[in-house]
């Protein structure tokens, strides 16, 4: 039997909007021309800069981060010369956020109690469903020097730190990453540390009010992880059931129905084509063929994956 890989991104998208999941993961569609400005590309630029820094922390790492931002901008301008000014403004926005982050680290010493074990750590573990494994890519694997606890740190560019903190205890990505680390290291008593590293998307002008950066630690108990294991069983089972129904010829309108929200305009790359599937007089597949191409949604995990079997909780 072929083993399937399921990521937190897929599980979360399935629950957010089945139609977006159907197009992105079941049909494996992605936009041919990606959006160059906005929350998603800004977050990607900042993330890549932080990846470069934490692979080589310190002054040299700061240089690496700014080099990455410049290389990203140069590549985007080369591919989209007509949008050079727009791309330059977005790149400057990312540079302001990243430079401010380094200043914040120096002022607060936020990294002093953390030892970086590995950046961009890729991990595969068992899932609660036979024939399915969980896959993840951790921004940082870290050890807390003062306690000896090990865990992961995840970078997030956020609109509001206050609003993010309010729902942090409900964040499923952190729970799944902690669960996977526990499955991979079942005998360890120190792997429940999860660190949320927040960079606020603001240019830090004179009128902007701090905080612009914040870091929160979340400790997830073994009991919570056991309960989350059961939740994952239900979520993954629902995805597999929908996949089988679609393969059997089931109607996507009934199986992969949409869940529209005010975030669709910036969050979903299928915003333009989505309503056409509900219009009996429209031809959504024509637009799909024009705007999208087939591409493996798990491609970013393919290189240097660490396969850790582990035991079920």
């Amino acid at each position: 039997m072929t083993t399937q890989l399921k990521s937190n991104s897929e599980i979360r998208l399935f629950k957010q909007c089945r139609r977006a999941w159907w197009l992105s993961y079941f049909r494996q569609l992605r936009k041919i021309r990606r959006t160059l400005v906005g929350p998603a590309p800004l977050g990607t630029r900042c993330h890549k800069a932080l990846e470069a820094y934490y692979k080589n922390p310190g002054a040299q790492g700061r240089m690496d981060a700014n080099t990455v931002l410049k290389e990203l901008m140069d590549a985007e301008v080369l591919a989209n010369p007509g949008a050079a000014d727009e791309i330059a403004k977005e790149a400057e926005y990312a540079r302001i956020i990243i430079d401010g982050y380094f200043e914040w680290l120096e002022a607060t010493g936020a990294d002093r109690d953390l030892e970086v074990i590995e950046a961009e750590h890729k991990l595969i573990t068992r899932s609660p469903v036979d024939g399915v494994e969980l896959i993840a890519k951790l921004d940082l694997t870290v050890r807390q020097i003062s306690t000896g606890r090990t865990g992961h740190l995840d970078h997030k560019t956020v609109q509001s730190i206050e609003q993010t903190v309010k729902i942090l205890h409900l964040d499923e990505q952190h729970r799944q990453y902690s669960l996977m680390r526990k499955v991979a290291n079942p005998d360890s008593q120190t792997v429940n540390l999860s660190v949320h590293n927040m960079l606020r998307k603001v240019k830090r002008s004179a009128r902007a009010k701090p905080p612009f950066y914040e870091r929160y630690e979340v400790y997830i108990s073994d009991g919570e992880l056991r309960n989350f294991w059961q939740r994952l069983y239900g979520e993954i089972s629902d995805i597999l059931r929908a996949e089988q129904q679609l393969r059997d010829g089931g109607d996507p309108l009934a199986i992969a129905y949409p869940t529209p929200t005010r975030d669709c305009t910036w969050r979903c790359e299928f915003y333009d084509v989505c309503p056409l599937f509900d219009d009996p007089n429209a031809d959504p597949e024509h637009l799909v063929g024009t705007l999208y191409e087939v591409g493996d949604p798990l491609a970013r995990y393919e290189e240097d994956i660490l396969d850790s079997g582990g035991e079920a909780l």
Side-chain angles (χ1 to χ4, degrees):
M1 182 175 65
T2 303
T3 299
Q4 285 199 53
L5 295 175
K6 296 297 180 188
S7 66
N8 176 260
S9 296
E10 178 179 358
I11 295 168
R12 189 169 65 244
L13 184 59
F14 180 82
K15 295 195 296 180
Q16 286 174 349
C17 180
R18 288 193 176 198
R19 177 169 290 168
W21 163 84
W22 170 60
L23 293 167
S24 182
Y25 284 90
F26 188 81
R27 294 186 59 177
Q28 299 191 343
L29 297 175
R30 63 183 181 186
K31 261 194 171 179
I32 296 172
R33 295 182 65 84
R34 297 271 174 167
T35 303
L36 299 173
V37 299
L42 176 64
T44 297
R45 293 183 183 103
C46 291
H47 188 282
K48 288 185 178 295
L50 292 173
E51 177 184 346
Y53 172 74
Y54 280 104
K55 285 183 176 179
N56 187 20
Q60 186 62 45
R62 292 182 63 165
M63 292 173 58
D64 293 341
N66 281 291
T67 297
V68 164
L69 289 176
K70 185 178 185 306
E71 289 176 347
L72 286 172
M73 183 189 72
D74 290 345
E76 290 167 357
V77 169
L78 185 63
N80 306 273
D85 291 343
E86 197 173 21
I87 293 169
K89 289 180 182 178
E90 285 286 293
E92 176 64 11
Y93 191 179
R95 188 196 62 76
I96 290 171
I97 293 173
I98 294 301
D99 281 350
Y101 177 73
F102 295 143
E103 294 167 6
W104 175 77
L105 287 181
E106 290 179 357
T108 63
D111 277 352
R112 289 174 192 160
D113 195 35
L114 288 181
E115 174 191 354
V116 177
I117 299 172
E118 188 175 359
E120 295 301 305
H121 176 60
K122 304 168 189 71
L123 180 66
I124 291 179
T125 68
R126 293 181 53 164
S127 87
V129 178
D130 290 340
V132 176
E133 293 181 327
L134 300 172
I135 185 170
K137 189 174 185 182
L138 313 183
D139 289 347
L140 292 179
T141 304
V142 298
R143 184 178 73 87
Q144 192 173 51
I145 298 171
S146 60
T147 66
R149 288 184 177 273
T150 60
H152 63 272
L153 180 147
D154 202 54
H155 307 303
K156 293 293 183 185
T157 52
V158 300
Q159 198 67 43
S160 167
I161 290 176
E162 180 182 5
Q163 292 301 315
T164 302
V165 170
K166 284 182 178 180
I167 61 170
L168 196 56
H169 65 295
L170 302 175
D171 187 275
E172 290 192 336
Q173 184 182 59
H174 279 286
R175 288 174 183 266
Q176 184 162 325
Y177 288 178
S178 292
L179 176 68
M180 292 176 68
R181 287 183 50 77
K182 191 69 175 179
V183 171
N185 303 276
D187 297 327
S188 175
Q189 301 299 314
T190 61
V191 298
N192 293 21
L193 173 65
S194 176
V195 183
H196 206 78
N197 193 41
M198 288 171 283
L199 294 80
R200 190 168 146 213
K201 291 179 283 191
V202 63
K203 293 183 178 179
R204 296 184 293 125
S205 64
R207 291 185 296 177
K209 296 181 180 180
F212 305 122
Y213 309 93
E214 199 62 80
R215 189 172 290 177
Y216 278 80
E217 297 175 3
V218 180
Y219 294 90
I220 303 170
S221 71
D222 286 350
E224 288 176 296
L225 293 183
R226 283 191 289 271
N227 287 341
F228 188 70
W229 180 266
Q230 291 302 112
R231 184 194 304 185
L232 275 179
Y233 176 83
E235 292 171 346
I236 294 172
S237 297
D238 285 344
I239 293 175
L240 297 182
R241 189 176 302 111
E243 289 175 340
Q244 189 59 53
Q245 290 172 336
L246 290 166
R247 284 193 295 268
D248 289 342
D251 187 350
L253 290 174
I255 301 164
Y257 43 80
T259 307
T261 72
R262 65 182 65 184
D263 295 333
C264 292
T265 54
W266 64 268
R267 173 179 285 172
C268 184
E269 65 178 355
F270 303 104
Y271 171 74
D272 294 326
V273 72
C274 177
L276 300 185
F277 287 100
D278 299 310
D279 184 349
N281 298 313
D283 182 11
E285 294 303 332
H286 176 73
L287 189 59
V288 166
T290 302
L291 297 181
Y292 302 91
E293 61 185 357
V294 175
D296 183 0
L298 297 178
R300 71 188 187 96
Y301 298 105
E302 286 180 356
E303 297 179 0
D304 301 321
I305 292 174
L306 172 63
D307 188 348
S308 302
E311 296 299 326
L313 295 184

